Amino acid sequence: AQTVTQSQPEMSVQEAETVTLSCTYDTSESDYYLFWYKQPPSRQMILVIRQEAYKQQNATENRFSVNFQKAAKSFSLKISDSQLGDAAMYFCAYKEGNTPLVFGKGTRLSVIA
Amino acid sequence: GAGVSQTPSNKVTEKGKYVELRCDPISGHTALYWYRQSLGQGPEFLIYFQGTGAADDSGLPNDRFFAVRPEGSVSTLKIQRTERGDSAVYLCASSGGRSGGSSDTQYFGPGTRLTVL
């Protein structure tokens, strides 16, 4: 079964600085999708960014970008110019075909003013 | 509506009671997923619908859990004889349902927090 590992239970970053959240996964498939979701205290899971495994180019969404290393099965999230509103739980997730998402245990990000 | 909605937002019940949790997906989305999130954990898959049928129910923990989606839109998760261990946030997500492209992205509702006393 596919597994997703987030090795950092908690991270903190100074406002306006850059932080990187780590994620590794295990799969024998070559075609799949990877996601980062943000979950603030409101519980709503909000999609931050997605990456198709067949694309070599790293996905970018404004201040959010990923470093996708397919051979290493690594998918880290970089948040630039961190803002107070970025404070939340961040979940890395894996999906292939019509299967459900497999989530990591999450990283709690604190932003220090 | 514009997003996935779930009702109720919070549900408190007593051990042994029956509960129903409702999910209203994004209009036009054919796939609907239920997940359960325990405190301090990532969401765990329960059941997946493609249209009206349950395409995969392998995540349901036991036969006290059941879900339906009779018209291919709204879904109801039903829990019989609730136990304290069922306390969690129950999340619903929907997607376009076709493999490939942005339709693979799941959009989540705000969840229902279930507390079993």
Side-chain angles (χ1 to χ4, degrees):
Chain A
Q2 286 77 12
T3 58
V4 176
T5 302
Q6 293 180 249
S7 59
Q8 306 153 315
E10 296 184 356
M11 292 283 285
S12 63
V13 62
Q14 293 279 351
E15 197 175 5
E17 296 296 310
T18 295
V19 65
T20 298
L21 308 184
S22 301
C23 173
T24 59
Y25 57 95
D26 186 23
T27 184
S28 58
E29 300 295 324
S30 60
D31 191 15
Y32 50 86
Y33 302 85
L34 295 163
F35 304 83
W36 278 98
Y37 282 90
K38 169 185 177 181
Q39 187 178 42
S42 66
R43 296 197 310 250
Q44 181 92 46
M45 294 283 275
I46 301 166
L47 177 68
V48 175
I49 200 165
R50 61 174 266 151
Q51 174 83 42
E52 292 88 348
Y54 64 85
K55 290 186 177 178
Q56 292 188 346
Q57 185 174 8
N58 289 324
T60 299
E61 289 287 342
N62 300 313
R63 297 182 296 107
F64 300 87
S65 61
V66 298
N67 184 4
F68 173 48
Q69 301 289 330
K70 191 172 184 178
K73 297 179 184 175
S74 172
F75 183 62
S76 61
L77 175 69
K78 185 171 82 170
I79 306 174
S80 304
D81 186 25
S82 297
Q83 301 175 0
L84 294 176
D86 294 334
M89 286 290 293
Y90 285 82
F91 291 95
C92 178
Y94 166 100
K95 184 182 188 300
E96 61 186 62
N98 288 328
T99 62
L101 289 165
V102 177
F103 287 88
K105 290 191 174 183
T107 296
R108 181 176 302 280
L109 178 66
S110 301
V111 180
I112 303 165
Chain B
V4 179
S5 61
Q6 292 186 247
T7 55
S9 178
N10 291 282
K11 176 70 177 179
V12 180
T13 191
E14 294 180 342
K15 181 176 178 294
K17 298 290 188 181
Y18 167 83
V19 297
E20 289 189 352
L21 312 180
R22 175 189 167 108
C23 172
D24 199 340
I26 292 172
S27 178
H29 277 188
T30 57
L32 186 147
Y33 301 80
W34 283 98
Y35 295 86
R36 180 168 70 175
Q37 186 176 21
S38 301
L39 192 64
Q41 301 294 318
E44 294 181 328
F45 168 69
L46 293 175
I47 187 170
Y48 153 50
F49 288 90
Q50 184 64 256
T52 60
D56 183 353
D57 64 358
S58 61
L60 295 177
N62 51 59
D63 61 6
R64 295 186 298 105
F65 288 75
F66 188 71
V68 295
R69 194 186 185 199
E71 297 178 356
S73 178
V74 171
S75 176
T76 304
L77 178 65
K78 308 181 180 190
I79 310 174
Q80 298 177 319
R81 305 183 303 280
T82 51
E83 300 178 356
R84 292 194 179 87
D86 298 336
S87 296
V89 173
Y90 289 81
L91 295 167
C92 175
S94 70
S95 71
R98 290 174 294 109
S99 61
S102 62
S103 61
D104 275 295
T105 297
Q106 295 180 23
Y107 298 91
F108 283 80
T112 294
R113 182 180 298 282
L114 176 65
T115 303
V116 182
L117 301 176

